[in-house]
Structure formats: structure tokens, C-alpha cells
Amino acid sequence: MKDNVKVGLLGLGTVGTGVVKMIQQHQEQLVHQVGCPVSIKKVLVKNPDKGRDVELDSHLLTTDPYDVINDPDIDVIVEVMGGINETRQYIIDALNAKKQVVTANKDLIALHGSELQKIAVENGCDLFYEASVAGGVPIIRGLTEGLASDKIQKMMGIVNGTTNYILTKMSKEGLAYDDVLKEAQELGFAEADPTSDVEGLDAARKMAILARLAFSMDIELDDVAVSGISSVTQEDLKYGATLGYTMKLIGYAEQENNRAEVSVQPTFLESSHPLSSVNDEYNAVYVYGEAVGETMFYGPGAGSLPTATSIVSDVLAVVKNMRLGVNGRNVLAPQYNRQLKEPNERFAKYFIRLHVRDEIGAFAELTKLFSNYSISFEKILQLPLEEEGLAEIVIVTHKASMDNYQSVLSEINDLDVVRAVRSFYRVEGEGTK
Amino acid sequence: MKDNVKVGLLGLGTVGTGVVKMIQQHQEQLVHQVGCPVSIKKVLVKNPDKGRDVELDSHLLTTDPYDVINDPDIDVIVEVMGGINETRQYIIDALNAKKQVVTANKDLIALHGSELQKIAVENGCDLFYEASVAGGVPIIRGLTEGLASDKIQKMMGIVNGTTNYILTKMSKEGLAYDDVLKEAQELGFAEADPTSDVEGLDAARKMAILARLAFSMDIELDDVAVSGISSVTQEDLKYGATLGYTMKLIGYAEQENNRAEVSVQPTFLESSHPLSSVNDEYNAVYVYGEAVGETMFYGPGAGSLPTATSIVSDVLAVVKNMRLGVNGRNVLAPQYNRQLKEPNERFAKYFIRLHVRDEIGAFAELTKLFSNYSISFEKILQLPLEEEGLAEIVIVTHKASMDNYQSVLSEINDLDVVRAVRSFYRVEGEGTK
């Protein structure tokens, strides 16, 4: 049995630094948990001379990844450098060198997770990635172990902290999207180029990873339909609030008879839904299991220490497996073939805000179009607009299929009475399925 | 390697029936997960002739526990019969017969968990009990695996569904405690004898189990200071709401330098705290870790299917360990000696409601007593009472030590101006430590 585990790091940014600190500072606790010391042997960095907020002997630093990957003393490789193509190759080489791998790289796992998992199993190695989704929230363990015996039917996740921060500020302080984004950038909650966050791409990667595990199905990133929050307006939020809704960027995944749908979109939640009170930069994943009913995992979605916590927990799991001699033996191939629902099998409620001519019979025309496609209304709100002769109409529909909505949206602008469709958002109810 | 795992059940009530159904109905999924069939071999029941909502051959039923415990074909014993002394002996005998054990019995684990865990390890067996705390919420895995590398500093749990249901109804519908209790009994949310729930004993058992795991310390049930909700009044809730608080029965556990405190008491939470929106019969455990910060686990606290889900997940974990040959090898003895904080090391804010004589200088007298014991006020609310010459005063203090509160409470009735102390509740802030 190994009596001294050596860890190699690829990358030493804020997360990598956090991992090094936790391993150094919690050594006594780690020894208690896994029965042997765990230490850092080698770290890949870009610039060895850069000042760092961590004590590490300079001879532990290298600029050559293969000093880490091929070091025969190293048992576990922690990848916190980010990136895709180059990093993928490093991880493949590490697995082929029989190293256990822990990564926080959601982009990589979303795109190449299935391939890498396969290579890990072939080499009898673990590949763990708890930190890749919602940093401090142990949702992956929750899905693969805690709810292992249940059939997950539905998941809804607030899995991007930046957009949740922006929507919370917009809702609570009545500020415009552009102003909040600017403030978030100044505070470091949003990147200089915020596209990946605000357009939902980051959330889509996480939902692909979660749906793959929850449904035991080889969901690909391209299967996730995505729209972001950059066109959400104060008017939308106010009308939503009037009707009892809170806006969140929701990753939605559902399966029925092993046919799945996965999407990310700004969504109006009924304010009684547990996710509607998840605010600021926090993340949460709501899971609906056939047997367990509703559960929710809540916590910080990012941040170097929460993410480092998940990584070190994964390292401990790997080390326990090493000491038991069972690495790479507890990984599941997907149970079901990947089958996606067609638009006519995907049902949701929608919030639709329109400007219409304020004239007799206008509403009747609208109703007729929707009822042609079997869509009925749950809530209606009509208010006069400042512009003479126009009215604002907000409709919340009952559940209907996506293809019917698409038909309505393609025809609605042809109606004489409709001036413009201002917005169109998914609506989710109280939580219970 | 075992190629067919046999399970024996002690007990076949609603939870046991749920376990049988899940194992029967999800067989294909279980085989996929653990690589071999899992089937029910023998079930201890009180009355074999009773009609049951599950299909089981009558020859699988027995009234002799040792038909299950000593059956050489049985690998895993699931204990869902409840009770303490007799059940403890069955589990000891099962472990000594080298059976893996899964139990949902919080009373037993709270009282005898450490002893049973030790016997399990001596026999190379697993003893898993995820279902003993908060049925459908995988909090025990969260603590032992997901947050394994972190140092847990504080936990707050809503871990009793009955009391949370009662307090939610009292708060939202303005009903009296007795009326809500009666309704809860009629709906099956409260037992005919509700003492264990409403006086906080059930929550105390769960907090003892959680604190033991979170702090790696051998906390005993007697270490948990308990008070229940049966004397909570509508007046308290209304004054609390006025000051921005929601009342919950909170299990509180905190450690500092490996000295712990664990308690259960009705607590006013600031309405922005994530736990304050956990309503009805739902449970949630809020965990504050040094590195991870705030996380929360939310879900159904009871119910036969959520509890059965946790049990079957534990059975799967046991079976995976069996197939890897590592049962009983992954259990941790407590890392720290049990040390409890003294009253002068335990700090909290409190809400105190008093009736005082409405006369000049009354408030000055009160202030003097509190400041004698270094307790200062954060919020004060004074209202006239209907009874001539009396006023109602509500004080929320800043943090102070328990021994100082005890001194104040022992002297306050001696003050001429004080007619009566009406209530006294712990107050918790926004969540961040």
C-alpha cells in the first residue's frame, strides 16, 4: 500500500494556489482521512519567477508539463490550467502514464468528458471532476452516489454565478442590464469579455455534464439549446414580478422514457420555487427524483477556495481508491443511448409580452392564433402604453409544445393588430413536477 | 467476486416496503450500477399474514430475526424496524456474522453509533446510515465525502419536518400552536404523541449524528442542549416578523479550535438567511466550511420513498465495496477528543420579550441590568399593552455569552419594573459567519 502520495499540479493560478494551501495547511486532517501524507511534488507554471501567495520551493516549479506528467513519483495529477486542446492531450498522456487525474475544467469535460473517462478506465485510473460544476456544491457526488438508486426525472440549475449576480441586482435594485454588467466587471464578478457567461455558454457546459450523469446518457454539448440574459430588460422583470415571478438563468434538463431535453434560458420562476430565492453569485441545483421527490444543492458556484475544496475532496477520494487498489473500477459507462426529445415532445409554459394596437377585436385575433395551435392562457395582463393607440399585453400560457410555440411566433407578426413581440420567456411553476 | 447479492430486511413497514419496491422495480438500473443482481432473500415481519402493498413470496417472510441475521446467503442486512435495545443487539449479531448493515434508525445511531461503528470495523463490515438524518437529503455523504477536505466550522439544520410544518403554518396562516398541531396530526404530519418531535428530541438525535461526522468528534446525545416549540406563541412570531425574522426550530452545531457546542432550539432567523425560506415539512442543512463558505442541502426530511432512496443508495455503496473487497475499511474513527464549550465560550444574539411597568425610568433599569453583564442591544421595540400601566418590550441583543444571559435571566424578575419575561429565543443572522 502506498504510504506517501505525491501530487503534481498543472497550473498555479488562484485555484491551484488554493489547492496547494489546503494540502499544506490541512495535512494533519488529510493524514487522518487517508492514512498517509499527501504532498505536492511538482507544479507546472508559466513563469517560475512570478511572486505567489503560497510557500513552495522554487525547485518544485517547472515550465515543462512533462516534468509533471512523466514524474514516476507522482500519483495524482491535478489539472487547474484550463484550456481545451493542449490540456486534453496532457490529460490523455497523464492517464496513459497511469496517473490518477482530478480536474476542474468544465469546458474540457463538457466537450471531451466521455472520451477521457474511457481512457481513464482503460488505464485503471480515476478521472474526477466535481469542481467542474458549481465549485463548492457537491452535486456530482449527490447524483452519482446519494441519488444513485433513484431515477432522476428533472433538474433545474442556477449554475452560473455571474448571470445570477446580474439578474439579482437587476431585480432587487431596478438597474439596467448594461449598468449591472459594468459594476460586476469592476467587482470581478464578470469577465472583461462576458460572452461565455451572459450568453449561457458556461451554464450549457455544466448542464451537459450534469445531464450526462443524471440520465446516464451520453449528452453532448451541442445537444443543449442555449439563450442568454443580455436582452433581458427592466420591463420584463417588472411585469414578471407583477405576476409573481422571479427571473433566473435556468439550466433545464428533463428525461421521460429515456428521451432527454437539455436547455439553458432566462426563465420566470414562481416566487415560491426554492430556486427563486437563490441570489447574488450563489449556485443551486434542484433535482427531482422519481422516489426522492425534490432535493436541492446550494452553495458558492465559484471562487478559488470553494473550488479548491472540491478538488482536494476529489484528491482524497482518489487516494482512498489507491490505498484500496480500486482506481478506475467504479466508473459507469452511460446506460442509455442518447435520445433527444423532438420539439413536439417538449412542453413548457411561456411568458409572452407584446405591443398591440388598442382596438376592438385585437385580443380576439390573438386568442384565435394561439388556439389554432392548441395554446391556452393561464394569465393575462393588459396595460395602456404611452404611445397613443398601443397597449402592452403580457400572456402566460398553459403548457404547450415547442413546435406549436414556434408556429405561433412565426405567424404572430403577420397579424394586423400586433406591433411587436417584445419578449418571450420560459416559465416554471412551484417546483413539484 | 460476488455475482449475486442477497439482502435481508429487518422490518417491513412503509419504509421497508419502499426498499423492496425500489429493489424490484429498478433491478435493471441496479445491475448496471453494481454489475450484478441484487435481490431480497428474507424479511423479518411481525405478522406474515398481514396484507401488504408489495409483491413478496410468503416463504421470504419470517418472524424470527435470526432467520435473517444467520442466513449464510445474505450479504446485506437492512434494518428498518426501529427501536433501540433489541435492535442494537440484532445489529451487533449481524455485524459479528459478517453482514454489511444499512440502517435508517437515528435513535439507535445517535445513542450507540460509535459502539456499532467500532464493531463493524472489527468485523470488516460497513455500517451505513444516510437515511437516519433528513431522509432524502444526502447530507451525510456531503459531509464525509464532498466536504471531506474542508474544516466544518458551523452547521445549522432544519432537521425535523413536523416542527417545520407547524411553524410554517403558524407563521403564514396566523394559527395557534395547538390548532396547527391538531391539523398536523390529522394529516399524518405529526404523531399521536408528538413529544419527540415538538420538544426537539428527534432533531437533537440528528444533530448529534451530524456533529459527530462534521467535527470528527465523539459527540453524544446528552451533549445536545434541547428546547422545543410547544411554547412558541403567535405574539412571538408577530413581533419577530416585525423585526424581520422568521422562526425555525434550528439544530445548531459549531466548533472552534476543536471545542464544540451543539443545541436545538426555536430560533429567529433573519429573513435573508437561506434557511428561512425552507418551508412546510422540508428539511435543510446549512453548512459553513472554512474553505467552501456556505453550502446548503435541501430536501424531504421524511417519507417512505425518500428514506428508501437513501437506504438503497447505501445498499449500492455497500455492494460496490463488496465487489471491490473493501468493506469496513473506509470508516474513520473520530479525529478529536470530545471537548465541549463552556457557557462562557458560547455566544449568541437573543430576542427577549418582556412585560414591564410603563413608568419613567423603567427602561433605564433594564438597560442597567443588561449592561452589568456586558450585554448591549441591537434592536428595541416598545408598544403599549391593553392592560393599563403595562408595556411590551422586545429586545434583540448583540452577541453575548450564555453565562451572562443566564445571570440576567436569574435577576431580571427581581427588578421592580419587570412584570414578566414572556419569551426568550436565539437569533441568527444572515448566514455568513
Side-chain angles (χ1 to χ4, degrees):
Chain A
M1 206 186 274
K2 287 289 290 188
D3 58 2
N4 194 345
V5 172
K6 304 283 188 193
V7 175
L9 261 78
L10 302 176
L12 190 62
T14 53
V15 173
T17 305
V19 170
V20 172
K21 280 187 185 169
M22 287 191 72
I23 288 179
Q24 289 172 344
Q25 291 166 9
H26 294 191
Q27 190 58 220
E28 187 193 353
Q29 196 186 343
L30 300 193
V31 171
H32 178 78
Q33 289 211 30
V34 298
C36 71
V38 177
S39 56
I40 306 290
K41 175 74 195 299
K42 207 106 217 168
V43 183
L44 172 69
V45 294
K46 278 193 198 136
N47 175 6
D49 300 323
K50 187 176 154 188
R52 285 189 173 83
D53 180 27
V54 66
E55 282 182 39
L56 263 183
D57 263 334
S58 63
H59 74 271
L60 297 182
L61 305 182
T62 175
T63 55
D64 179 355
Y66 289 92
D67 279 352
V68 184
I69 293 166
N70 292 331
D71 185 326
D73 287 346
I74 287 180
D75 309 287
V76 185
I77 305 259
V78 172
E79 184 271 301
V80 281
M81 59 186 285
I84 297 184
N85 292 334
E86 200 183 34
T87 314
R88 168 179 161 277
Q89 193 56 52
Y90 294 162
I91 289 185
I92 290 174
D93 292 339
L95 291 168
N96 284 331
K98 312 290 181 202
K99 308 296 186 196
Q100 317 300 327
V101 175
V102 173
T103 175
N105 191 327
K106 67 179 164 297
D107 302 17
L108 184 65
I109 296 295
L111 281 171
H112 301 296
S114 307
E115 175 201 17
L116 295 174
Q117 197 67 267
K118 201 159 152 268
I119 297 171
V121 172
E122 284 164 8
N123 283 288
C125 291
D126 289 331
L127 171 70
F128 286 174
Y129 49 89
E130 179 71 69
S132 68
V133 179
V137 191
I139 173 67
I140 290 184
R141 274 201 179 74
L143 291 177
T144 54
E145 297 177 18
L147 303 173
S149 64
D150 202 356
K151 180 108 182 163
I152 308 295
Q153 298 177 315
K154 179 168 155 179
M155 275 190 303
M156 284 164 60
I158 296 174
V159 290
N160 180 274
T162 305
T163 47
N164 205 42
Y165 175 87
I166 293 173
L167 289 175
T168 303
K169 284 273 169 190
M170 287 178 70
S171 296
K172 298 215 161 167
E173 299 178 15
L175 303 172
Y177 170 81
D178 288 330
D179 297 335
V180 181
L181 173 60
K182 207 174 144 217
E183 186 194 320
Q185 285 170 321
E186 283 161 10
L187 290 170
F189 287 133
E191 312 259 346
D193 175 0
T195 313
S196 162
D197 290 317
V198 301
E199 298 306 341
L201 310 175
D202 175 82
R205 293 183 194 115
K206 292 166 180 167
M207 291 308 297
I209 296 172
L210 291 179
R212 208 178 275 166
L213 290 169
F215 304 151
S216 193
M217 196 185 290
D218 207 356
I219 302 288
E220 293 177 11
L221 183 53
D222 282 347
D223 299 334
V224 186
V226 188
S227 64
I229 65 160
S230 58
S231 57
V232 172
T233 65
Q234 268 304 323
E235 287 71 47
D236 294 327
L237 298 186
K238 280 179 199 153
Y239 286 112
T242 304
L243 294 167
Y245 300 124
T246 306
M247 169 80 73
K248 298 287 175 190
L249 182 68
I250 294 291
Y252 186 93
E254 187 181 342
Q255 66 89 17
E256 209 171 1
N257 303 320
N258 306 319
R259 291 170 69 80
E261 65 171 289
V262 190
S263 59
V264 170
Q265 62 262 301
T267 302
F268 275 124
L269 296 177
E270 288 210 14
S271 300
S272 54
H273 193 289
L275 286 174
S276 73
S277 53
V278 174
N279 287 323
D280 303 323
E281 72 278 23
Y282 279 88
N283 280 199
V285 182
Y286 165 94
V287 180
Y288 192 93
E290 189 176 281
V292 78
E294 301 173 58
T295 67
M296 191 171 82
F297 299 80
Y298 167 97
S304 57
L305 279 179
T307 306
T309 305
S310 286
I311 290 173
V312 177
S313 293
D314 272 354
V315 169
L316 293 188
V318 161
V319 175
K320 285 179 191 172
N321 283 348
M322 283 174 60
R323 289 177 60 87
L324 300 170
V326 297
N327 298 96
R329 284 168 60 187
N330 218 342
V331 177
L332 294 178
Q335 184 175 7
Y336 301 107
N337 290 327
R338 175 171 151 273
Q339 286 194 71
L340 299 174
K341 288 189 185 178
E342 300 297 331
N344 65 359
E345 300 170 283
R346 292 165 50 196
F347 294 85
K349 295 181 181 187
Y350 272 86
F351 166 108
I352 303 157
R353 184 160 71 90
L354 304 154
H355 286 184
V356 300
R357 286 180 217 289
D358 194 1
E359 57 189 41
I360 293 166
F363 203 79
E365 271 204 64
L366 270 181
T367 312
K368 185 155 168 276
L369 172 61
F370 280 87
S371 60
N372 280 349
Y373 291 101
S374 310
I375 301 175
S376 59
F377 299 163
E378 183 185 296
K379 295 179 182 172
I380 297 161
L381 186 67
Q382 174 164 348
L383 294 166
L385 281 173
E386 278 188 21
E387 194 181 332
E388 191 80 25
L390 280 189
E392 180 117 43
I393 290 186
V394 176
I395 292 165
V396 177
T397 66
H398 284 293
K399 274 198 174 181
S401 71
M402 293 305 301
D403 58 343
N404 283 338
Y405 285 115
Q406 281 155 7
S407 303
V408 165
L409 288 175
S410 71
E411 292 179 27
I412 200 165
N413 283 311
D414 298 340
L415 293 184
D416 274 349
V417 296
V418 171
R419 179 72 162 266
V421 175
R422 306 292 300 189
S423 59
F424 179 71
Y425 296 112
R426 188 171 183 133
V427 172
E428 286 291 324
E430 291 193 352
T432 43
K433 215 181 138 65
Chain B
M1 207 188 273
K2 287 290 292 190
D3 59 1
N4 194 343
V5 171
K6 303 284 189 192
V7 174
L9 261 79
L10 302 177
L12 191 60
T14 52
V15 173
T17 305
V19 171
V20 172
K21 279 187 186 169
M22 288 190 71
I23 289 180
Q24 288 173 343
Q25 291 168 8
H26 295 190
Q27 191 56 221
E28 188 194 351
Q29 197 185 344
L30 300 193
V31 170
H32 178 75
Q33 290 213 25
V34 296
C36 72
V38 176
S39 57
I40 306 290
K41 175 74 195 299
K42 207 104 215 168
V43 182
L44 172 70
V45 294
K46 278 193 196 134
N47 175 5
D49 300 324
K50 188 177 153 188
R52 286 188 171 82
D53 180 27
V54 64
E55 281 182 40
L56 264 184
D57 263 334
S58 63
H59 74 271
L60 297 182
L61 305 182
T62 176
T63 56
D64 179 355
Y66 289 92
D67 280 353
V68 183
I69 294 166
N70 292 329
D71 185 326
D73 287 347
I74 287 180
D75 308 286
V76 184
I77 305 260
V78 172
E79 185 272 302
V80 282
M81 59 186 285
I84 297 185
N85 292 334
E86 199 183 37
T87 314
R88 168 179 161 275
Q89 192 57 52
Y90 294 163
I91 288 185
I92 290 175
D93 293 339
L95 291 168
N96 285 330
K98 312 290 181 201
K99 308 298 188 196
Q100 318 300 327
V101 174
V102 173
T103 175
N105 192 327
K106 67 180 164 296
D107 303 16
L108 184 65
I109 295 296
L111 281 171
H112 302 296
S114 307
E115 175 201 16
L116 296 174
Q117 198 68 268
K118 199 158 154 269
I119 297 171
V121 172
E122 284 165 7
N123 283 287
C125 291
D126 289 330
L127 171 69
F128 286 174
Y129 49 89
E130 179 72 69
S132 68
V133 179
V137 190
I139 173 67
I140 290 185
R141 274 202 178 72
L143 291 177
T144 55
E145 298 176 18
L147 304 173
S149 63
D150 201 357
K151 180 107 181 162
I152 309 294
Q153 298 178 316
K154 179 168 155 179
M155 277 190 303
M156 286 166 58
I158 295 174
V159 290
N160 179 274
T162 305
T163 47
N164 205 42
Y165 176 86
I166 293 174
L167 290 174
T168 303
K169 284 273 169 188
M170 286 178 71
S171 297
K172 300 217 160 163
E173 298 178 15
L175 302 172
Y177 170 80
D178 288 330
D179 296 336
V180 181
L181 174 60
K182 209 175 141 218
E183 186 193 321
Q185 285 171 321
E186 283 162 10
L187 291 169
F189 286 136
E191 312 259 346
D193 175 1
T195 312
S196 163
D197 290 318
V198 300
E199 297 308 340
L201 310 175
D202 176 82
R205 293 183 193 114
K206 292 164 180 167
M207 291 309 297
I209 297 172
L210 292 179
R212 208 179 274 165
L213 291 169
F215 304 152
S216 194
M217 195 184 290
D218 207 357
I219 302 288
E220 293 178 11
L221 183 53
D222 283 346
D223 299 334
V224 186
V226 187
S227 65
I229 66 161
S230 57
S231 56
V232 172
T233 65
Q234 268 304 322
E235 286 73 48
D236 295 327
L237 298 186
K238 280 178 198 153
Y239 286 112
T242 304
L243 293 169
Y245 300 124
T246 306
M247 169 80 74
K248 298 287 177 190
L249 182 68
I250 294 291
Y252 186 92
E254 187 182 341
Q255 66 88 17
E256 210 172 359
N257 303 321
N258 305 318
R259 291 169 69 79
E261 64 172 291
V262 189
S263 60
V264 170
Q265 62 264 301
T267 301
F268 275 124
L269 296 176
E270 287 209 16
S271 300
S272 53
H273 193 290
L275 287 173
S276 73
S277 52
V278 174
N279 288 323
D280 303 324
E281 73 278 21
Y282 279 90
N283 279 200
V285 181
Y286 164 94
V287 180
Y288 191 93
E290 189 176 282
V292 78
E294 303 173 56
T295 66
M296 191 172 80
F297 299 80
Y298 167 97
S304 57
L305 279 179
T307 306
T309 305
S310 286
I311 290 173
V312 178
S313 293
D314 272 353
V315 169
L316 295 187
V318 161
V319 174
K320 285 179 189 170
N321 283 348
M322 284 173 61
R323 289 176 61 86
L324 300 170
V326 297
N327 298 98
R329 284 168 59 187
N330 217 341
V331 177
L332 293 180
Q335 185 176 5
Y336 302 106
N337 290 327
R338 175 173 152 271
Q339 286 193 69
L340 299 175
K341 287 191 186 178
E342 299 298 330
N344 65 1
E345 301 171 283
R346 291 164 50 195
F347 294 85
K349 295 182 181 186
Y350 271 87
F351 166 107
I352 304 159
R353 184 160 71 89
L354 303 154
H355 284 185
V356 300
R357 286 182 216 288
D358 196 1
E359 58 190 40
I360 293 168
F363 203 78
E365 270 204 63
L366 270 181
T367 312
K368 186 154 168 275
L369 173 62
F370 279 86
S371 59
N372 280 350
Y373 292 99
S374 312
I375 301 175
S376 58
F377 300 163
E378 182 184 298
K379 295 180 183 172
I380 296 161
L381 186 67
Q382 173 164 351
L383 294 166
L385 282 172
E386 280 189 21
E387 196 182 331
E388 192 78 28
L390 281 186
E392 180 119 44
I393 291 188
V394 176
I395 293 165
V396 177
T397 66
H398 284 294
K399 273 199 176 182
S401 72
M402 292 307 300
D403 58 343
N404 283 339
Y405 285 115
Q406 280 155 8
S407 302
V408 164
L409 288 176
S410 70
E411 292 179 29
I412 200 164
N413 283 310
D414 298 339
L415 294 183
D416 273 350
V417 299
V418 171
R419 180 71 162 266
V421 175
R422 306 293 297 186
S423 59
F424 179 71
Y425 297 112
R426 189 173 183 131
V427 171
E428 287 290 326
E430 290 194 353
T432 42
K433 216 181 136 64

